[in-house]
Each structure stands twice: as C-alpha cells, then as structure tokens.
Amino acid sequence: MGYIIAIDQGTTSTRSIVFDDQFAIVGQGQEEFEQHFPKSGWVEHKPQDLLTSVITTCKKALNDGKIRAKDILALGITNQRETTLLWDKVSGEPIYNAIVWQDRRTSKFCDKLRSDGVEELITRITGLLLDPYFSATKLKWLLDNVEGARAKAEAGELLFGTVDTYLIWHLTNGVIHATDATNASRTMLYDINESKWSSEICDMLNIPMSILPEVRNCSDDFGVCDEKILGHKIPIKGVAGDQHAATIGQACFKPGMMKSTYGTGCFALLNTGQSIVRSNNKLLTTIAYQFDGKPTYALEGSIFIAGAVVQWLRDGLQIIKSAAETQDLAIQADSNQQVIIVPAFTGLGAPYWNADCRGAIYGLTRNSGPAELAKAALECVGFQTRDLLEAMQSDWHDDGEEKPVLRVDGGMTSSNWAMQFLADILNAGVDRPKTLETTAVGAAWLAGSAVGYYPPFAEFSRLWKSESHFTPMMQEEQRERKYSAWKSAVEATMRV
C-alpha cells in the first residue's frame, strides 16, 4: 500500500492532503499565514511563511492519516499563480518578500507599456493581457528597486520563480530550479506559441534570461524532496497552477469541456485542445496543461467577486451569520422582486475588464430585505458566469449543437439553490463532482500517474463521477428577462 501527497499552496493558506489509490482523503493539514500590505495596492507574503506552511501541513497530513513518509510514493504541487519571488542562488535567501498576484504596484508601468504600443505584441506572444496581475512587471520591479538586485541577477547570482519553483528549489535542497508549463504561461514572459521563454519580452523588460527556471511538463521529474524535510526521500512528480490543476482534477481533457471554480472569485477554463484561440472578448489564452512536451490550450476568464459577495453580506452588512444561510433566504425571497447586485467592489473582471467602476444594487423596494439581497448575491454569480461562458463560446466558435456541461467546484457549489440557478441562467447542465477537492486531486493525479499509481488520463476521465447534476428548469422568457436586466445593470454601473 502506498499513498500520494498533494500540496495546495494558496493565497491565504496552505493545505496538504494524502490520497489513497481511489482518491479518498486519508490525511490532511491546513495552515493560514499572514498577509502583508505595506502600501495601498501592495500585497506581499513572507517567503519563509510559504515554505514553512508547506512543511508543517505535510507533517500534519501524515500525522492525521497515521502514515509514514516512506509510504508516500510521490508528491504533487499546485499553487497560487503569478506570485513572484527572487532569491540568492547559493544561500536560498529571498532578496525581498513574495509579490502576490493581487499586487497592483506596477500599474503605472503597465500603462506606460500600453502607451508605447506593446500590448498587442505581448498578447500575441503570451496570450495574456498587459496587466500587473502577471509576474513579468513584478520581476522587473524587484530588479529595479531592490538594492543590488540587478547587478546580482546579471552576474548569475539570483534565481526567479513563481511559488512552485521556490518550493521545488527548497524542497530539493537547491538541486532543481524548474517550473511547469502552466505556471510559466502565467508570467507574461513565456511564448506559448514556441513553448519557450520569450527573449523579445525579456529584452524589452531588461530581464536576464539566466535567472529563469527550466520549463517542464506538468507530470514530470521535479527532483526529490530531501529526506531531512519529511523523514524520507519523496519524488516530486507533478506541478500545475491552481486553476490548471482544478481543470485536470475535473478531467476536462476534451476540447470544449469547461470547468468553473468558485472561491473568493471565480475562474472558468475552456479546453481548446491543440488550438491557440485568440479572444475578441478580453479573455486570456493560456496553457491548460502539458504532457510529453505537447501543450493543450485553454481560454480563461476571471470573475473578481463570487463567494466574496456572500462574505460581504456576512461581514459588511452583517445580515447573515454564515454563508450557508443564503440558500434558505434565497428560497424565502419575494419572487416578484428583481433585486440585482453588481459586485464591482474592485471593478469588473472578464469580459469587461473595467477596474474603475464600483458595486451597485438595483431594483430595491420598501419590501426588499435580507432574503432579497441573499438571492441577488447568489444570482449575480450565475449572471457573471454566463457573461464568461458566452464570451468563451463566441471566441471558441464551437459548432456543437448541444451546450457542454459545466463542471464546478469550490465553496459556493455546496449551495443547491445557487447551482440550480446557474444551470437555469446558463440553460446548460451543471455537474458537481463527487470529490470536491479537485485542485488537490489534479496535483495528486499528476504525481501519481507519473509513478504508475494512478491510471492514464483516458481511464482517469472514465473514473470521474458527479455527485449532483443540475438540469435547467427555468422558462426561456424568464431566463432572458432576468439576464437582460443584469446586462442593463452592468451597463449602468460602468457609466457611473
């Protein structure tokens, strides 16, 4: 008997989960870590917190399952994407805190690049929009603003990496400096057409290519976790960014298959196979996963606020005590009212990409109360998902007669009411998986399949099972009336 351990290193916490051969969880550990906000719009993590939380949660997971480290056959890593680190090649000491994907300190520099007319070039090479969200301008900021950083980088004394690379380097005791294709594709430095780092963009941003990690497949050899860390040598065999790992965990291996993850925000990915699809709707073109040197591509859309709107009802308005209350309130809501929340608390993501507009509520009456607001909070997530999926379908030009089923995961999917509304407003089936930890499952499968513990992806796809299937039941006239009201509310919000 053996096991696989998956590390899920997230933005606010780290989880490690031990899986058996049926993907059942046999041990787990979780640990939150501190967020740092040194200036308005700046978000940082202490690199040591990331590494320490990984090691601590791995030990907790082993203890929880009463499992010995020598019984772990392989380790997989999935991680928060775009977060940027730079460290000393010899000592391993970071030269600065990790700059988190949410950080906006390079906004003005991105505006300058845009005014210089280079956004089209960057998008053509990387598939990404020119935005501080991605790693490239964060890395340039580190080189330009940390004393001595550029000179050391040019002398070959520093190493760059996203969180996966930083963890791999330390877990292997400095032996392996590598990333996988999915994380590389989120740096805004990687040529997704040629599957290599872009010398053109590196030259443009004055980034020495010697500091960049080697790019490997998602299921590959990433070295061996040093025995001093967990008590036994464990091969690291799988790596993917969190949304890509969720796509894999949902077994979205066929072109046209879609998954949507609902956490604080929402990330939807559409598998486009071997085709690099250029979006006309401000979606991102990215690498879904890569096996045997062959990338599979995807369109990705991001919603900034999904579960966070429910948190706002709880923490901001204080009209609920827990997220679970929203389902019962939504059922009780007055069906004759059409209250709409446009949750643009930090602007609107895809397909609008309007950073300046702010949240608004429409349709309030004297009878509007907690029930109507709870219903509107759940509905706005469905409306935003339809925005994304319609944009994806427009870019994808799928000739299929039937809409594909959307596979969902994340905290909000526990609400049957929200998932039924999602199916209704999309007029498409929605599948909630039997195994909800899809991100960790994806990382575990990458590692386990590499050592022959888990089956190849074709068999893995057949093993995937839904726990619940939601079929659209809403009348077409009602569906379109509600969605039209949403679109009008969004347009009004963006005009303010």
Side-chain angles (χ1 to χ4, degrees):
M1 175 64 72
Y3 303 93
I4 303 295
I5 190 165
I7 296 167
D8 184 356
Q9 201 300 297
T11 307
T12 59
S13 70
T14 299
R15 294 189 71 193
S16 294
I17 302 177
V18 179
F19 292 95
D20 68 10
D21 60 347
Q22 299 299 310
F23 293 101
I25 295 173
V26 295
Q28 57 185 314
Q30 183 167 358
E31 185 174 290
E32 294 185 357
F33 50 86
E34 190 176 357
Q35 310 291 301
H36 299 271
F37 309 98
K39 293 184 181 180
S40 177
W42 292 28
V43 188
E44 297 177 358
H45 292 154
K46 288 189 179 298
Q48 189 60 42
D49 288 349
L50 304 180
L51 180 61
T52 300
S53 66
V54 162
I55 296 171
T56 301
T57 57
C58 280
K59 291 179 178 179
K60 285 181 178 179
L62 293 172
N63 290 334
D64 182 51
K66 297 179 174 57
I67 294 163
R68 299 171 298 178
K70 69 177 185 178
D71 293 326
I72 301 296
L73 302 178
L75 183 154
I77 297 173
T78 182
N79 56 283
Q80 54 169 308
R81 304 176 299 173
E82 298 97 15
T83 295
T84 302
L85 298 104
L86 198 57
W87 65 94
D88 186 277
K89 189 175 184 178
V90 176
S91 70
E93 287 297 313
I95 67 164
Y96 190 83
N97 279 348
I99 303 181
V100 180
W101 59 273
Q102 300 161 316
D103 191 281
R104 306 297 293 177
R105 76 185 65 187
T106 61
S107 291
K108 289 184 179 178
F109 179 65
C110 287
D111 290 341
K112 181 183 181 302
L113 289 175
R114 195 173 291 109
S115 66
D116 290 343
V118 300
E119 182 168 30
E120 184 178 346
L121 170 70
I122 288 174
T123 299
R124 176 173 56 80
I125 293 174
T126 69
L128 307 176
L129 300 175
L130 177 53
D131 195 89
Y133 178 26
F134 306 107
S135 310
T137 57
K138 294 175 168 62
L139 175 55
K140 178 174 171 56
W141 187 94
L142 288 170
L143 293 172
D144 289 343
N145 290 275
V146 177
E147 185 177 357
R150 183 166 295 284
K152 288 182 178 180
E154 291 174 351
E157 298 173 5
L158 297 181
L159 297 175
F160 155 75
T162 43
V163 171
D164 59 305
T165 303
Y166 181 75
L167 295 177
I168 291 166
W169 195 89
H170 281 278
L171 292 176
T172 63
N173 199 23
V175 174
I176 302 295
H177 181 225
T179 187
D180 84 294
T182 68
N183 278 295
S185 75
R186 309 298 297 191
T187 61
M188 212 172 76
L189 293 170
Y190 192 68
D191 188 334
I192 64 171
N193 309 274
E194 302 293 334
S195 293
K196 64 181 183 180
W197 296 114
S198 170
S199 57
E200 191 170 4
I201 295 178
C202 286
D203 288 346
M204 180 195 305
L205 299 180
N206 196 18
I207 292 173
M209 296 188 73
S210 61
I211 69 175
L212 304 179
E214 179 186 345
V215 181
R216 301 184 180 180
N217 298 305
C218 298
S219 187
D220 212 326
D221 180 11
F222 291 91
V224 176
C225 180
D226 193 282
E227 63 182 332
K228 293 179 182 178
I229 295 175
L230 296 176
H232 196 269
K233 292 181 179 180
I234 301 174
I236 304 170
K237 289 292 188 178
V239 176
D242 52 8
Q243 301 309 318
H244 313 264
T247 302
I248 293 164
Q250 291 278 36
C252 291
F253 293 126
K254 293 181 180 179
M257 293 185 74
M258 296 184 295
K259 76 91 194 173
S260 192
T261 299
Y262 297 93
T264 300
C266 164
F267 295 87
L269 266 76
L270 168 69
N271 185 324
T272 63
Q274 305 305 306
S275 302
I276 296 177
V277 177
R278 306 292 182 181
S279 177
N280 295 314
N281 296 286
K282 297 183 179 180
L283 301 178
L284 306 177
T285 305
T286 193
I287 294 176
Y289 48 82
Q290 179 173 301
F291 304 134
D292 301 321
K294 299 177 181 177
T296 293
Y297 299 96
L299 284 170
E300 178 177 328
S302 304
I303 296 170
F304 295 156
I305 302 294
V309 73
V310 175
Q311 293 171 341
W312 172 67
L313 295 183
R314 182 193 66 194
D315 303 332
L317 297 186
Q318 298 183 357
I319 60 175
I320 59 172
K321 292 182 179 179
S322 70
E325 294 177 35
T326 55
Q327 173 156 304
D328 288 340
L329 285 170
I331 294 170
Q332 299 166 21
D334 181 358
S335 61
N336 293 318
Q337 292 190 48
Q338 179 62 77
V339 177
I340 295 175
I341 297 175
V342 180
F345 302 148
T346 56
L348 288 170
Y352 305 105
W353 286 108
N354 186 319
D356 298 322
C357 66
R358 289 296 177 262
I361 303 176
Y362 298 89
L364 292 174
T365 72
R366 285 287 299 273
N367 292 326
S368 299
E372 287 69 36
L373 288 174
K375 180 182 177 184
L378 297 181
E379 285 185 338
C380 76
V381 176
F383 290 135
Q384 290 180 99
T385 304
R386 178 166 168 178
D387 288 341
L388 278 187
L389 268 57
E390 289 200 348
M392 286 180 168
Q393 293 296 332
S394 173
D395 288 332
W396 173 231
H397 300 301
D398 185 16
D399 294 328
E401 293 183 4
E402 294 185 8
K403 287 188 177 182
V405 171
L406 178 67
R407 294 184 173 180
V408 298
D409 56 85
M412 284 197 75
T413 64
S414 62
S415 169
N416 289 339
W417 193 95
M419 293 303 98
Q420 182 58 54
F421 179 77
L422 183 60
D424 286 339
I425 204 65
L426 297 179
N427 193 25
V430 171
D431 273 346
R432 184 170 61 200
K434 185 175 182 180
T435 304
L436 295 177
E437 298 292 345
T438 55
T439 303
V441 165
W445 178 79
L446 289 171
S449 62
V451 296
Y453 184 72
Y454 291 135
F457 68 86
E459 178 63 21
F460 176 61
S461 296
R462 287 192 289 272
L463 292 173
W464 187 93
K465 290 182 174 61
S466 67
E467 177 264 339
S468 296
H469 176 78
F470 299 88
T471 301
M473 300 174 65
M474 188 178 288
Q475 295 295 317
E476 180 69 13
E477 183 275 332
Q478 183 184 10
R479 176 184 302 113
E480 294 313 309
R481 174 170 49 79
K482 292 177 76 69
Y483 188 60
S484 177
W486 160 258
K487 297 291 282 186
S488 296
V490 170
E491 290 172 7
T493 301
M494 291 195 296
R495 284 198 301 268
V496 174

